[in-house]
Amino acid sequence: MLRLLIIATLLWALPAGAEKVVLGLSQDEVAITATFDGSSLLIFGAVKREEPLPQDSDLDVIITVSGPPGPLDIRRKERRMGIWVNTDSVHLLHAPSFYAVASTRPLDQILNMDDDQHHIISVDYVMTTVGPAHAAPELDVFTDALVRIRSEADLYQQHETGVALDQETLFRTSLDLPANLVEGIYSMRIFLVRNGAVVDRYDTTIEVHKVGMERWLYNLAHERPLAYGIMSLVIAIAAGWLASAAFRMFQR
């Protein structure tokens, strides 16, 4: 009930327009602790209209969440004379560490290729920037392998019917964030689609960061590596000594 009241207030406050997105989030940040084993992100919102609901087309909603991008080398291993060695490779200048797409229906049924490519929605277009000096003839083979590996780790997700849309006005979805998230700013986009074309887009961000002991250890390792190394060595020696003392005690 509270969420509906918030959405109604935002709808009243928005300026006039054809169809606009009003968004809500269950949280705008994710805290990574020592016991962090994943999180669930609830995304809900509404469509604001100043005109009657169009009757000649259906409305669809697409939601994407993208983690911090970075360069990536994808290498293919082959067995040569009984030894596995790296052969061909592809260098991606831009590959998101996490990418999830949720939609009311499969993308190929609701979105035309031009808008898909223009807004970089599907995974196929997220990783198309390749360094020419490192490009391999079978680019699709390498990117498909990357998508498969990261999908198995829940880092790449596609939910073709994951968005529930009620009377073409209220929408909601829930995304499961895995435990192996990369720290940083995650971008979220919501698209309204009619007749295969994007009619509105809303952008926001979610912060994923370490807290507590995880943050202290991370800062220590990066800002004072010598102190971190000495502390790790002391802990390892102490743990070995305690294990040895306990073993001797049980032998008596």
Side-chain angles (χ1 to χ4, degrees):
M1 186 64 183
L2 178 59
R3 292 169 184 165
L4 293 178
L5 290 175
I6 294 174
I7 291 174
T9 303
L10 292 174
L11 284 173
W12 179 82
L14 279 180
E19 287 183 308
K20 298 292 183 181
V21 175
V22 182
L23 176 69
L25 285 173
S26 61
Q27 59 193 94
D28 57 6
E29 66 175 4
V30 177
I32 300 178
T33 63
T35 59
F36 179 76
D37 60 354
S39 179
S40 181
L41 178 65
L42 176 62
I43 304 168
F44 58 93
V47 181
K48 185 243 183 195
R49 299 183 181 90
E50 292 294 333
E51 301 174 356
L53 180 67
Q55 301 298 321
D56 58 346
S57 62
D58 295 327
L59 179 71
D60 286 284
V61 179
I62 303 172
I63 299 174
T64 70
V65 177
S66 179
L72 181 68
D73 290 317
I74 309 174
R75 297 181 174 86
R76 175 162 55 191
K77 290 182 177 293
E78 293 184 1
R79 190 160 185 157
R80 302 284 178 84
M81 301 180 65
I83 302 175
W84 288 97
V85 296
N86 294 325
T87 54
D88 297 331
S89 67
V90 165
H91 179 68
L92 299 180
L93 300 179
H94 182 284
S97 56
F98 173 86
Y99 196 74
V101 183
S103 54
T104 48
R105 292 185 290 162
L107 291 183
D108 58 1
Q109 297 180 16
I110 63 177
L111 185 64
N112 64 58
M113 186 178 297
D114 291 338
D115 274 39
D116 190 3
Q117 186 173 11
H118 174 70
H119 292 282
I120 313 177
I121 296 175
S122 64
V123 178
D124 294 336
Y125 295 114
V126 171
M127 301 177 296
T128 54
T129 305
V130 181
H134 303 278
E138 315 95 334
L139 174 60
D140 292 341
V141 176
F142 288 85
T143 55
D144 288 347
L146 176 63
V147 171
R148 184 186 72 253
I149 293 171
R150 291 194 168 179
S151 296
E152 293 173 353
D154 285 336
L155 291 174
Y156 285 179
Q157 304 175 12
Q158 184 166 347
H159 308 281
E160 293 188 333
T161 57
V163 179
L165 181 62
D166 184 16
Q167 299 181 354
E168 299 195 8
T169 301
L170 301 176
F171 63 86
R172 67 185 182 278
T173 190
S174 180
L175 296 177
D176 292 327
L177 305 178
N180 51 346
L181 286 177
V182 174
E183 188 180 24
I185 301 299
Y186 284 59
S187 62
M188 184 173 67
R189 303 175 298 167
I190 296 90
F191 301 93
L192 300 183
V193 181
R194 280 194 183 274
N195 294 322
V198 174
V199 297
D200 189 44
R201 168 177 171 172
Y202 184 96
D203 294 69
T204 187
T205 59
I206 303 169
E207 184 180 1
V208 176
H209 58 94
K210 296 181 175 69
V211 296
M213 182 62 70
E214 285 284 308
R215 165 56 61 184
W216 183 79
L217 290 174
Y218 179 86
N219 290 339
L220 183 64
H222 287 79
E223 297 174 4
R224 304 182 64 184
L226 179 59
Y228 179 81
I230 294 174
M231 184 188 71
S232 301
L233 182 61
V234 171
I235 292 176
I237 293 173
W241 181 84
L242 288 175
S244 176
F247 181 74
R248 288 195 304 269
M249 184 178 63
F250 281 118
Q251 279 187 324
R252 292 177 182 177

